[in-house]
């Protein structure tokens, strides 16, 4: 006889969003059941954490090579890739205690280690012996790397963003298919750690980002000897003795040969085995269809994170989790606003963005002003010899901040106040007036904001008023 549970909330999947929903609901005293078939650990957070650890190691190697510019004489960086691998794994291990089954149980969550499948619109079967009838269900099963339809790829040895961190030796020549955020960050990291790197993509490089800012990143790639080619047709891939071969173009006239192949161009929502049709939940190839409140076609069921086709990022899933908690438990009417979710490309220079890009703002009919300030005019950037990049801020007619892009050192940290500004609908005057310590890179954003006011101060009527005030003493 099946064990029947009747919690307020049943969470299916323990990725970052699902974990957050379960923990928050339990902290509020709500009965919660979480169903997850696999181990609950930091691996459920996706590739962002190991990628950050690998990038940190690669930047140290680069810093050694550039030390001479600071008057520090250092030998050429010698990379022990086995120890780099150990560093990445140690970072994952350090974070794992924060994402465990035991921690959830301690918070009051009932954890069932089994696969979940909807029996009907109100019931989920978890494993062979448990049925769950909850007031609300939350699907947070995430996504997995997807293989593009390239002939020969399925039978050719390849890595994904989930498996590349298992490497214990640096590739001789890494070919990356996918010139998005993850592919570029991994490509640059492996280049700095000693590999030759070629990045290929059928689409534009960093197609979601501002082309003006993307160009700054790609100029750095050229300097480092990384070949990046966008808009290329990949005819097929094939295995060869001790290497892989990527054939380009319809006629196969050009080939790229490497020691390892990384596929980093897309993800697939984890929908298999969930019984969505039995629950009346509409789904499409990109994922589960949800409304602006993250509810599915079955109003008892919410879906969050990348299972909906959203970006596979813990902070985006956490944003969804917060909305679901407010909507499901407090009868709030919170709605997703994707413009307020920041994103970061962990290249060097970093590329961070929140809000609208210039192209999006013009497409939506906004009368915009574009404000810029270069890193080279920042004292801290000069001291650090990190002068490549700039801040670019968009405002509307009344000064409301529509979006911001920062490309340069520390861009991921510097985008934070702009994320607040976009989310809260602030005007540019608020950022122009903020106090920042000296010398810091944060002055780059403040100076960009200040140019909005500077233009007004040079107008003829302002000068006439100032002249009048001088005459009045």
């Amino acid at each position: 006889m099946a064990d029947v549970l009747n919690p307020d909330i049943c969470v299916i999947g323990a990725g970052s969003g699902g974990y957050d929903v379960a923990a928050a609901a339990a902290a509020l005293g709500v009965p919660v059941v979480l169903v997850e078939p696999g181990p609950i650990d930091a691996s459920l957070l996706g590739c962002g954490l190991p990628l950050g650890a690998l990038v940190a190691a690669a930047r140290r190697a680069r810093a050694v090579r550039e030390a001479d510019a600071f008057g520090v004489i250092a030998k050429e960086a010698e990379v022990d890739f086995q120890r780099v691998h150990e560093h990445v794994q140690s970072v994952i291990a350090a974070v794992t205690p924060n994402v465990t089954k035991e921690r959830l149980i301690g918070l009051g969550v009932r954890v069932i280690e089994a696969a979940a499948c909807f029996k009907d619109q109100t019931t989920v079967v978890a494993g062979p012996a448990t049925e769950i009838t909850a007031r609300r269900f939350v699907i947070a099963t995430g996504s997995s790397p997807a293989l593009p339809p390239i002939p020969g790829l399925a039978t050719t040895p390849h890595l994904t963003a989930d498996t590349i961190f298992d490497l214990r030796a640096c590739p001789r020549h890494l070919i990356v298919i996918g010139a998005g955020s993850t592919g570029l960050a991994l490509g640059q990291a492996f280049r700095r750690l000693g590999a030759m790197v070629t990045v290929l993509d059928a689409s534009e490089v960093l197609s979601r980002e501002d082309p003006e800012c993307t160009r700054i990143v790609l100029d750095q790639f050229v300097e480092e000897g990384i070949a990046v080619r966008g808009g290329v047709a990949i005819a097929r891939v094939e295995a060869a003795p001790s290497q892989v071969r990527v054939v380009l173009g319809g006629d196969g006239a050009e080939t790229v040969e490497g020691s390892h192949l990384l596929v980093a161009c897309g993800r697939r929502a984890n929908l298999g085995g969930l019984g969505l049709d039995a629950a009346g939940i509409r789904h499409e190839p990109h994922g589960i269809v949800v409304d602006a409140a993250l509810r599915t076609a079955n109003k008892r069921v919410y879906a969050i994170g990348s299972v909906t086709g959203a970006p596979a990022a813990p902070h985006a899933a956490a944003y969804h989790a917060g909305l679901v908690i407010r909507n499901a438990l407090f009868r709030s009417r919170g709605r997703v606003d994707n413009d307020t979710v920041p994103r970061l490309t962990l290249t060097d220079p970093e590329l961070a963005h929140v809000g609208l890009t210039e192209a999006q703002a013009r497409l939506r009919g906004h009368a915009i002003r574009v404000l810029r300030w270069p890193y080279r005019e920042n004292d801290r950037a000069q001291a650090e010899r990190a002068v490549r990049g700039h801040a670019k801020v968009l405002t509307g007619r009344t000064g409301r901040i529509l979006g911001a892009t920062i490309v340069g050192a520390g861009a991921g940290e510097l985008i934070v106040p702009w994320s607040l500004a976009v989310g809260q609908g602030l005007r540019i005057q608020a950022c122009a007036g903020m106090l920042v310590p000296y010398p810091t890179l944060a002055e780059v954003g403040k100076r960009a904001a200040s140019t909005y006011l500077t233009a007004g101060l040079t107008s003829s009527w302002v000068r006439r008023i100032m002249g009048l005030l001088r005459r009045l003493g």
Side-chain angles (χ1 to χ4, degrees):
M1 182 175 178
D3 183 16
V4 180
L5 305 179
N6 303 104
D8 273 24
I9 293 181
C10 173
V11 181
I12 302 171
S16 55
Y19 193 101
D20 290 345
V21 169
L28 293 168
V30 175
V32 185
V33 171
L34 183 142
V35 185
E36 169 60 50
I40 298 176
D41 55 32
S43 66
L44 294 170
L45 300 178
C47 72
L49 176 63
L51 173 58
L54 187 74
V55 166
R59 285 182 176 173
R60 273 32 176 215
R62 179 74 175 182
V64 171
R65 298 181 184 113
E66 296 179 337
D68 184 65
F70 295 85
V72 178
I73 308 305
K75 296 180 179 179
E76 177 65 22
E78 181 179 344
V79 177
D80 182 340
F81 200 84
Q82 172 62 31
R83 294 185 61 186
V84 172
H85 171 80
E86 292 170 359
H87 156 68
V88 172
Q89 298 305 313
S90 70
V91 170
I92 296 172
V95 172
T96 291
N98 298 322
V99 190
T100 63
K101 171 186 174 181
E102 290 73 22
R103 187 167 183 266
L104 285 174
I105 293 173
L107 291 170
V109 178
R110 178 161 180 177
V111 178
I112 299 176
E113 296 178 289
C117 179
F118 280 93
K119 176 181 177 180
D120 52 41
Q121 294 195 357
T122 62
T123 308
V124 160
V125 176
T130 305
E131 289 190 359
I132 304 167
T133 302
R135 187 170 62 86
R136 295 286 185 269
F137 294 90
V138 179
I139 302 174
T141 50
S143 60
S144 303
L147 295 183
I150 299 174
L153 182 57
T155 57
T156 300
H158 62 271
L159 301 160
T160 69
D162 286 353
T163 62
I164 193 166
F165 303 104
D166 296 331
L167 287 178
R168 296 175 180 271
C170 188
R172 176 182 55 79
H173 182 181
L174 179 65
I175 302 174
V176 182
I177 297 179
S181 175
T182 301
L184 289 182
L186 283 168
Q188 186 181 44
F190 275 95
R191 175 58 179 160
R192 291 180 168 190
L193 293 170
M196 292 178 57
V197 174
T198 300
V199 183
L200 308 170
D201 201 309
S203 303
E204 291 183 35
V205 177
L206 290 175
S207 56
R208 298 177 63 195
E209 307 300 341
D210 186 302
E212 173 188 345
C213 298
T214 296
R215 187 71 259 164
I216 294 172
V217 175
L218 295 182
D219 287 346
Q220 178 68 34
F221 275 46
V222 171
E223 288 188 13
E224 296 188 26
I226 304 170
V228 181
R229 299 176 60 180
V232 296
I234 300 176
R236 66 183 184 277
V237 299
E238 53 195 31
S242 301
Q243 64 181 5
V244 292
R245 184 179 297 119
V246 179
V247 181
L248 305 180
D251 56 3
E254 183 180 1
T255 62
V256 179
E257 295 182 348
S259 60
H260 294 72
L261 176 64
L262 166 64
V263 181
C265 54
R267 299 185 69 84
R268 177 186 65 255
N270 294 329
L271 305 178
L274 290 177
L276 299 178
D277 293 333
I281 297 172
R282 185 182 165 207
H283 55 96
E284 296 179 351
H286 74 274
I288 295 174
V289 178
V290 294
D291 63 15
L294 297 170
R295 290 189 304 180
T296 69
N298 180 340
K299 300 310 178 185
R300 283 177 176 264
V301 183
Y302 293 83
I304 64 175
S306 57
V307 75
T308 68
H315 66 283
Y319 168 56
H320 283 187
L323 281 176
V324 163
I325 287 292
R326 294 197 296 272
N327 292 344
L329 298 183
F330 297 103
R331 300 294 196 276
S332 174
R333 296 183 178 180
R335 300 169 66 84
V336 172
D337 182 0
N338 289 321
D339 292 341
T340 65
V341 180
R343 56 182 182 262
L344 171 64
T345 300
L346 271 177
T347 49
D348 183 12
E350 292 181 358
L351 177 59
H353 175 81
V354 68
L356 303 180
T357 64
E358 182 177 355
Q360 289 173 327
R362 296 191 187 283
L363 188 63
R364 296 187 190 184
H366 290 287
I368 64 172
R369 282 186 59 180
V370 180
L371 315 175
R372 297 181 179 83
W373 195 263
Y375 270 60
R376 67 176 179 273
E377 295 190 26
N378 175 267
D379 292 355
R380 181 62 177 272
Q382 288 290 346
E384 300 282 349
R385 291 186 176 271
V387 296
R388 172 165 276 165
H390 66 252
K392 179 177 180 178
V393 181
L394 308 179
T395 70
R397 189 186 305 275
T398 62
R400 185 169 69 89
I401 299 167
L402 302 176
T405 303
I406 302 176
V407 56
E413 307 293 339
L414 300 184
I415 203 68
V416 173
W418 299 101
S419 181
L420 174 66
V422 170
Q424 297 297 315
L426 300 183
R427 299 184 187 278
I428 194 66
Q429 292 86 343
C431 293
M434 67 180 173
L435 295 175
V436 298
Y438 173 87
T440 60
L441 296 176
E443 292 179 286
V444 173
K446 176 182 171 63
R447 294 296 293 271
S450 298
T451 62
Y452 182 90
L453 305 178
T454 303
L457 293 176
T458 60
S459 66
S460 59
W461 68 270
V462 170
R463 291 184 177 183
R464 287 197 295 269
I465 291 174
M466 292 178 65
L468 176 61
L469 291 175
R470 286 199 301 273
R471 289 195 295 272
L472 293 176

